[in-house]
């Protein structure tokens, strides 16, 4: 059963129903459901389907390609010696097909690009000189190595420049889609549990698939993340290795960011990590951002050079907070951590990240979905002690929404000190940013708010249910 993905599925159908040949690129992080989306959309029926081999040689890749051709009815009399030859054999298979539109699905294309493979020139030649000259080919390429797809295909500066007709980035599920998915699998979870699950797993469908009915969320987390042999016990290393050919630099950056709630500037990252300040480091940051692990935001009033990079991937944050430091290797570590101070602190910080990933739902709750706006975090430069605001929505209707996120077990009860803190943040922001816009104080509370004389200063309260819309 396919959950969500309506827009992406429609894009695939548009490509299929076009009167011309179309080149489609589907990309997104490991385990996000790219292959499943494509197979479900076309009911597992393809003129040709092939998946690259992980960590393999060119000869083995070509042999696997040959085997896939045979599976789709080709009488194999030879094994191709290079990719030009391999794509020529694919042409032969397509020419024999009686299907009105020939769907060619090449999965994990980046894995096929081994050292000096010649894959890209062969793909260029196949598409530019042959497939695009017809009207009946729908070529779909896919891969978890998002940076490779973007840099080598989507932003190709050679023969594939501007050749991709449909670019389909596949994002993780929203909270609402996770809820639908768990219901479809008969796994019972309250919305509070779903949010806590999202704090750990984000919206990655494969992670949620590991949740078993009959177990509590804590039991599921213990079983999959902390039990040797668990489905996701070694996921961190596999995740970064699948996305990046040389993952060490990427891991170094996210590790540095994991210890900085508000993020670091490029210069701060270079200094802390002793990186070389060059184009390669800039590309590394772009790759991490394109994969959805970090976000880059400008502080209102500052220039682009002061942009801040912040870790936003829930699983990576969870890994560095709990898994990498679980030296005791306690298989029930998560159950034993519940309601302890470190857990409660993590819940508060992680809820902020969940809100960051549901900005559209927050804007909808504020009634500003149709208003052009920018979303930022902000930290003071001149004030002592410093001020940090985790979410600002700078709106074109002459308003800046200052958002506070609170995760508590019971309805949050604002105290005089809380109101004083919020008012100080507002005052420092207005002074340092020199904004002339009206500021609205917004509270996003996981369990609502207990009304009192202090809460009346809040213009709008966004609830947990609002995040599920």
């Amino acid at each position: 059963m396919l959950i969500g993905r309506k827009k992406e599925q429609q894009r695939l159908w548009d490509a299929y129903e076009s009167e011309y040949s179309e080149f489609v690129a589907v990309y997104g992080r490991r385990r996000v459901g790219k292959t499943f989306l494509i197979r479900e959309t076309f009911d597992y029926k393809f003129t040709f389907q092939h998946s690259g081999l992980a960590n393999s040689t060119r000869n083995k890749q070509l042999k696997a390609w040959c085997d896939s051709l045979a599976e789709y009815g080709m009488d194999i009399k030879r094994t191709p010696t290079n990719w030009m030859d391999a794509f020529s054999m694919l042409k032969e298979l397509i020419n024999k097909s009686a299907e009105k539109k020939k769907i060619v699905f090449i999965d994990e294309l980046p894995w096929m690009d081994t050292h000096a493979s010649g894959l890209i020139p062969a793909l260029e030649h196949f598409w530019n000189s042959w497939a695009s000259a017809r009207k009946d080919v729908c070529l779909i390429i896919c891969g978890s190595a998002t940076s490779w797809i973007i840099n080598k295909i989507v932003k190709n500066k050679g023969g594939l420049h501007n050749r991709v007709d449909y670019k389909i980035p596949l994002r993780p599920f929203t909270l609402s889609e996770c809820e639908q998915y768990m219901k479809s699998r008969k796994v019972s979870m309250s919305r509070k549990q779903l949010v806590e699950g999202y704090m750990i797993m984000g919206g990655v469908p494969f992670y949620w698939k590991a949740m078993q009915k009959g177990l509590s969320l804590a039991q599921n987390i213990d079983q999959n993340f902390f039990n040797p042999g668990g489905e996701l016990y070694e996921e961190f290393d596999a995740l970064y290795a699948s996305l990046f050919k040389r993952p060490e630099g990427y891991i170094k950056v996210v590790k540095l960011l994991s210890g900085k709630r508000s993020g670091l500037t490029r210069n701060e990252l270079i200094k802390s990590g002793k990186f070389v300040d060059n184009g390669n480091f800039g590309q590394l940051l772009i790759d991490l951002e394109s994969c959805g692990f970090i976000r880059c935001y400008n502080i209102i009033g500052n220039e682009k050079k002061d942009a801040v990079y912040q870790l936003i991937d829930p699983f990576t944050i969870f890994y560095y907070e709990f898994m990498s430091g679980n030296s005791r290797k306690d298989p029930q570590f998560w159950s034993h951590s519940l309601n302890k101070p470190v857990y409660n602190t993590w819940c508060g910080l992680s809820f902020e990240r969940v809100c960051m990933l549901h900005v559209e739902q927050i804007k909808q709750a504020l009634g500003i979905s149709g208003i052009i706006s920018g979303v930022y975090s902000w930290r003071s430069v001149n004030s002592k002690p410093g001020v940090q605001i985790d979410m600002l929505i700078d709106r074109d209707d002459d308003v800046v929404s200052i958002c506070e996120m609170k995760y508590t077990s019971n309805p949050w009860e604002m105290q005089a000190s809380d109101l004083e803190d919020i008012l100080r943040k507002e005052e420092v922001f207005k002074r340092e940013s020199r904004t002339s816009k009206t500021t609205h104080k917004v509270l996003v509370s996981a369990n609502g708010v207990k009304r009192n004389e202090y809460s009346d200063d809040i213009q709008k309260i966004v609830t947990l249910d609002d995040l599920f819309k």
Side-chain angles (χ1 to χ4, degrees):
M1 179 180 179
L2 192 62
I3 302 295
R5 313 304 198 197
K6 300 300 181 186
K7 291 180 180 178
E8 294 86 354
Q9 196 169 38
Q10 185 57 55
R11 295 272 289 163
L12 287 170
W13 276 117
D14 289 346
Y16 175 77
E17 293 172 349
S18 169
E19 65 175 299
Y20 300 102
S21 289
E22 303 290 355
F23 192 160
V24 182
V26 180
Y27 48 95
R29 66 179 287 164
R30 166 183 160 96
R31 313 290 205 183
V32 82
K34 303 177 296 297
T35 303
F36 185 71
L37 165 68
I38 296 165
R39 288 175 175 171
E40 283 285 305
T41 298
F42 297 112
D43 197 26
Y44 295 74
K45 297 174 183 176
F46 303 98
T47 305
F48 175 70
Q49 179 185 359
H50 175 71
S51 183
L53 304 177
N55 304 314
S56 194
T57 63
R58 185 179 72 164
N59 287 341
K60 289 181 180 179
Q61 298 282 3
L62 289 168
K63 176 61 170 61
W65 178 274
C66 204
D67 291 343
S68 294
L69 288 170
E71 287 178 16
Y72 281 86
M74 189 169 190
D75 183 15
I76 303 298
K77 297 179 180 178
R78 59 188 174 85
T79 299
T81 58
N82 55 59
W83 283 113
M84 291 292 287
D85 197 16
F87 276 98
S88 291
M89 294 173 72
L90 176 58
K91 293 178 192 177
E92 293 178 31
L93 179 70
I94 293 173
N95 278 328
K96 293 178 181 178
S97 173
E99 294 166 332
K100 181 180 178 181
K101 198 63 166 277
K102 286 76 171 172
I103 308 175
V104 175
F105 175 30
I106 305 176
D107 198 4
E108 296 299 357
L109 181 69
W111 289 352
M112 297 160 58
D113 187 24
T114 55
H115 177 67
S117 67
L119 175 68
I120 297 298
L123 178 62
E124 291 176 359
H125 183 70
F126 168 78
W127 181 255
N128 292 338
S129 69
W130 191 79
S132 65
R134 302 166 61 107
K135 291 188 173 185
D136 61 349
V137 176
C138 180
L139 172 63
I140 305 171
I141 63 157
C142 181
S144 296
T146 304
S147 60
W148 188 96
I149 294 282
I150 292 174
N151 296 325
K152 294 293 185 80
I153 304 296
V154 175
K155 294 183 178 179
N156 184 284
K157 293 180 173 59
L160 289 178
H161 180 66
N162 282 338
R163 298 301 189 191
V164 178
D165 303 294
Y166 291 81
K167 307 172 190 69
I168 306 178
L170 200 60
R171 306 299 182 193
F173 280 166
T174 62
L175 279 168
S176 176
E177 289 167 334
C178 288
E179 183 176 48
Q180 294 174 50
Y181 187 43
M182 288 297 93
K183 285 181 178 179
S184 75
R185 295 183 61 79
K186 311 300 181 186
V187 178
S188 180
M189 285 190 188
S190 67
R191 286 191 163 178
K192 179 177 180 293
Q193 290 173 322
L194 287 164
V195 168
E196 291 196 12
Y198 205 96
M199 292 176 187
I200 297 167
M201 300 178 285
V204 181
F206 183 83
Y207 299 173
W208 287 91
K209 185 181 178 182
M211 301 296 103
Q212 295 183 15
K213 63 181 180 180
L215 298 180
S216 68
L217 175 63
Q219 288 174 317
N220 268 306
I221 298 305
D222 281 333
Q223 177 174 288
N224 288 286
F225 289 91
F226 293 101
N227 207 311
E231 188 72 53
L232 302 168
Y233 186 76
E234 297 179 342
E235 173 63 11
F236 181 84
D237 290 335
L239 172 63
Y240 282 86
S242 72
L243 290 170
F244 310 111
K245 286 190 174 181
R246 297 180 180 84
E248 296 80 14
Y250 298 92
I251 292 174
K252 189 175 183 180
V253 167
V254 297
K255 185 176 182 179
L256 287 169
L257 292 177
S258 70
K260 298 292 182 180
R261 172 184 172 187
S262 61
L264 294 168
T265 65
R266 176 190 171 109
N267 287 338
E268 289 170 339
L269 279 168
I270 290 170
K271 183 177 179 181
S272 299
K274 298 181 180 178
F275 290 100
V276 178
D277 187 3
N278 57 21
N280 290 334
F281 182 69
Q283 186 60 52
L284 184 151
L285 295 176
I286 291 171
D287 291 344
L288 283 170
E289 189 175 6
S290 67
C291 290
F293 290 107
I294 67 174
R295 73 180 184 117
C296 174
Y297 67 89
N298 296 323
I299 297 175
I300 294 177
N302 287 5
E303 297 299 322
K304 177 69 177 177
K305 64 182 177 63
D306 293 319
V308 176
Y309 295 89
Q310 185 181 46
L311 182 63
I312 58 171
D313 177 56
F315 171 67
T316 302
I317 295 170
F318 178 76
Y319 173 83
Y320 279 114
E321 186 67 37
F322 297 106
M323 295 181 70
S324 65
N326 183 24
S327 57
R328 294 176 298 149
K329 303 299 179 185
D330 179 3
Q332 293 182 296
F333 178 85
W334 193 241
S335 295
H336 294 158
S337 299
L338 297 180
N339 298 317
K340 290 186 177 179
V342 66
Y343 166 84
N344 293 330
T345 300
W346 168 80
C347 280
L349 297 177
S350 294
F351 183 63
E352 293 172 3
R353 297 295 186 269
V354 173
C355 292
M356 288 290 183
L357 297 171
H358 289 79
V359 169
E360 292 307 313
Q361 287 77 7
I362 292 173
K363 288 165 68 174
Q364 183 179 340
L366 296 177
I368 60 170
S369 295
I371 297 174
I372 296 173
S373 58
V375 180
Y376 309 91
S377 291
W378 185 84
R379 55 186 181 183
S380 62
V381 176
N382 302 317
S383 298
K384 301 293 182 183
V387 164
Q388 178 178 317
I389 300 173
D390 294 302
M391 184 186 294
L392 288 171
I393 304 178
D394 187 15
R395 301 154 43 173
D396 270 14
D397 59 352
D398 209 33
V399 172
V400 176
S401 295
I402 300 176
C403 301
E404 284 280 316
M405 283 78 85
K406 298 295 181 183
Y407 189 86
T408 54
S409 298
N410 299 307
W412 187 58
E413 185 173 2
M414 182 182 284
Q415 304 297 324
S417 59
D418 297 315
L419 178 58
E420 182 181 336
D421 181 58
I422 292 172
L423 291 175
R424 181 172 182 272
K425 287 181 179 180
E426 180 182 38
E427 185 272 327
V428 171
F429 166 71
K430 292 175 76 172
R431 184 178 69 247
E432 290 200 11
S433 68
R434 299 180 180 179
T435 183
S436 60
K437 293 185 177 183
T438 301
T439 53
H440 283 182
K441 294 176 282 295
V442 175
L443 178 65
V444 186
S445 178
N447 282 289
V449 174
K450 186 175 181 179
R451 293 284 186 177
N452 58 25
E453 67 269 30
Y454 306 115
S455 64
D456 289 341
D457 265 64
I458 302 298
Q459 272 77 37
K460 181 69 176 178
I461 295 171
V462 179
T463 66
L464 193 67
D465 289 342
D466 290 323
L467 298 181
F468 279 82
K469 293 179 179 176

